[in-house]
Amino acid sequence: MKKIKIIELASVLAGPSVGQFFAELGAEVIKVESPKTGGDVTRSWLFKGEKRNGTVSAYFTSVNWGKKSLSIDLSNKEERAIVYKLVKNADIVIASYKSGDAEKLGVDYETLKALNPQLIYGQITGYGLDNPKVGYDAVIQAESGFMSINGEQGANPLKMPVALIDVLAGHQLKEALLVALIERMENGHGKFVQVALIDAAISALVNQGANWLVGQNEPKSMGNLHPNIAPYGELFSTKDGRQLLLAVGNDKQFKNLCRILEISDLAQFSTNQERVVNREGLNEVLSGKIELWASEELLEKLVHEQVPTGLVTTVKEALDQGESHWFLKTDGLTGLRSFVASGFDRLSLSPPPQLGQHNQEIIDALD
């Protein structure tokens, strides 16, 4: 990807996550930001008590490593001409405008394709090209059914604490752009691809959606419980006060669990279907056994017998104990990689840029 050049006309999370993905693979990514709005809006999204580093917030760092920042006003004809020059030699444009805005600014696909017929243009929208409604992750979570199935049974609908729909839409756009690049290798043509947040959300309902479409079983909030598997997601307290989660996916794993816990009576629990039906009684039996064990001792035995399990940890604990390949580090700053698959070079990236940090460098290179 080191020869790939990308112009990022996107903000917030979904589109920029795609830009960082390509940067991690070695592509040159130029992030175009408006000086009138202070650049990407996430530059201003600070947690309580956060001290911003210039124009860089913690949120902004999550998906903006390895990029160059070009701060220009696209509504200004002369400044927009800079983008046009860049587009002539670009491979991909990533955009996240709501319906009609790209056309108003003169950076829509049809306009840019006239400058570069081989250009691949990927756009994130909220609800598709014909719907002007602004789409934000939390609203999509509400409208797609995710909030209705998240949270404890009988409790109010609950939003997930990560912008997961944005993350999923970003993955969908990465896939679309990679397919478009392959097609261009075959036919030499550019392409317009678009991913709507609502489409990505509905696609991600997977088994919950299938439970309704195939079985007419309406999904509902069940806390940690799984509608089709047991014990899967249940939490159990150990002797030393830790919370242990089980994710038993088949009968062999369940038998290994019972052997370790010395549970001999499996009359009501021998198959997964029986365990789902008799979940309450099963959890009582498991709770009584697991509370007799120290967490680390039990965890070691379960892992050795390939029973899927883990201890609940905080974000801080997970990251502090994390694997080195998860992280990007430079100039005293640490971030998370967007692309963690093995088999590829893990490149060092420049830190998330200050607003307009690379204006002179980019403009000088055009002359």
Side-chain angles (χ1 to χ4, degrees):
M1 292 290 178
K2 293 182 179 180
K3 295 182 179 180
I4 298 293
K5 295 184 178 180
I6 295 174
I7 310 301
E8 184 183 297
L9 306 176
S11 61
V12 191
L13 199 153
S17 73
V18 180
Q20 180 170 314
F21 163 75
F22 281 105
E24 290 180 32
L25 291 175
E28 179 184 9
V29 181
I30 296 176
K31 183 179 183 70
V32 179
E33 305 180 77
S34 171
K36 294 196 298 186
T37 61
D40 190 316
V41 67
T42 63
R43 290 183 180 275
S44 66
W45 288 2
L46 310 178
F47 61 80
K48 186 177 180 179
E50 179 181 352
K51 295 181 179 179
R52 186 166 54 180
N53 174 22
T55 58
V56 175
S57 68
Y59 195 115
F60 179 78
T61 69
S62 65
V63 287
N64 285 291
W65 283 74
K67 303 176 185 178
K68 298 177 181 178
S69 173
L70 175 64
S71 178
I72 58 173
D73 181 4
L74 290 175
S75 65
N76 180 291
K77 183 177 180 180
E78 292 182 357
E79 294 188 34
R80 186 166 63 247
I82 297 172
V83 170
Y84 288 168
K85 289 182 180 179
L86 291 169
V87 165
K88 289 179 180 179
N89 295 307
D91 296 284
I92 296 172
V93 166
I94 302 168
S96 61
Y97 298 111
K98 67 177 185 291
S99 180
D101 282 1
E103 288 78 5
K104 292 176 184 177
L105 293 171
V107 289
D108 56 289
Y109 175 61
E110 292 299 327
T111 298
L112 300 186
K113 182 178 71 169
L115 302 171
N116 180 356
Q118 290 190 315
L119 183 69
I120 297 171
Y121 192 111
Q123 183 157 338
I124 294 283
T125 67
Y127 300 89
L129 296 172
D130 299 325
N131 191 330
K133 184 179 178 182
V134 176
Y136 270 79
D137 180 276
V139 178
I140 304 293
Q141 286 193 38
E143 295 177 336
S144 62
F146 269 93
M147 285 183 62
S148 74
I149 59 175
N150 192 34
E152 293 299 324
Q153 184 174 356
N156 289 330
L158 187 66
K159 180 182 73 66
M160 291 173 285
V162 170
L164 187 60
I165 308 304
D166 277 357
V167 174
L168 295 170
H171 287 318
Q172 292 270 6
L173 188 59
K174 293 171 195 174
E175 294 165 2
L177 292 172
L178 290 172
V179 172
L181 280 170
I182 294 171
E183 289 184 353
R184 193 180 70 175
M185 292 169 59
E186 297 173 345
N187 59 33
H189 301 317
K191 195 178 188 73
F192 176 83
V193 298
Q194 180 263 155
V195 173
L197 296 180
I198 188 67
D199 294 343
I202 295 300
S203 172
L205 287 172
V206 288
N207 62 292
Q208 294 282 15
N211 281 347
W212 171 249
L213 293 173
V214 177
Q216 297 294 289
N217 181 31
E218 185 172 6
K220 57 186 178 181
S221 59
M222 298 178 63
N224 290 324
L225 306 184
H226 194 291
N228 305 79
I229 318 171
Y232 194 101
E234 284 88 341
L235 290 175
F236 300 95
S237 296
T238 60
K239 184 168 62 176
D240 51 346
R242 296 294 302 274
Q243 293 286 298
L244 182 138
L245 183 142
L246 290 174
V248 175
N250 59 52
D251 293 340
K252 180 180 178 181
Q253 293 168 356
F254 183 71
K255 289 178 181 178
N256 288 343
L257 170 66
C258 290
R259 186 174 66 256
I260 292 169
L261 296 178
E262 298 182 348
I263 298 173
S264 56
D265 184 5
L266 302 181
Q268 294 180 299
F269 314 128
S270 59
T271 68
N272 177 67
Q273 189 170 13
E274 288 177 329
R275 293 193 291 274
V276 171
V277 171
N278 300 298
R279 189 193 306 267
E280 187 173 333
L282 172 62
N283 289 345
E284 289 181 4
V285 173
L286 292 174
S287 294
K289 293 291 187 177
I290 291 174
E291 67 183 5
L292 303 176
W293 287 76
S295 57
E296 293 296 339
E297 181 184 5
L298 179 56
L299 183 67
E300 182 180 354
K301 288 184 176 294
L302 292 174
V303 169
H304 182 264
E305 293 298 326
Q306 298 185 339
V307 178
T309 186
L311 295 174
V312 175
T313 64
T314 65
V315 172
K316 177 184 181 299
E317 290 168 341
L319 296 181
D320 286 350
Q321 301 166 16
E323 304 288 340
S324 61
H325 66 269
W326 295 352
F327 302 110
L328 292 158
K329 295 187 178 183
T330 185
D331 297 338
L333 186 68
T334 301
L336 291 174
R337 290 188 180 274
S338 169
F339 184 58
V340 293
S342 62
F344 301 87
D345 292 335
R346 292 196 171 100
L347 305 178
S348 297
L349 298 184
S350 59
Q354 300 291 337
L355 178 62
Q357 179 178 337
H358 302 94
N359 273 31
Q360 199 62 51
E361 174 188 336
I362 293 168
I363 293 170
D364 288 347
L366 292 174
D367 298 331

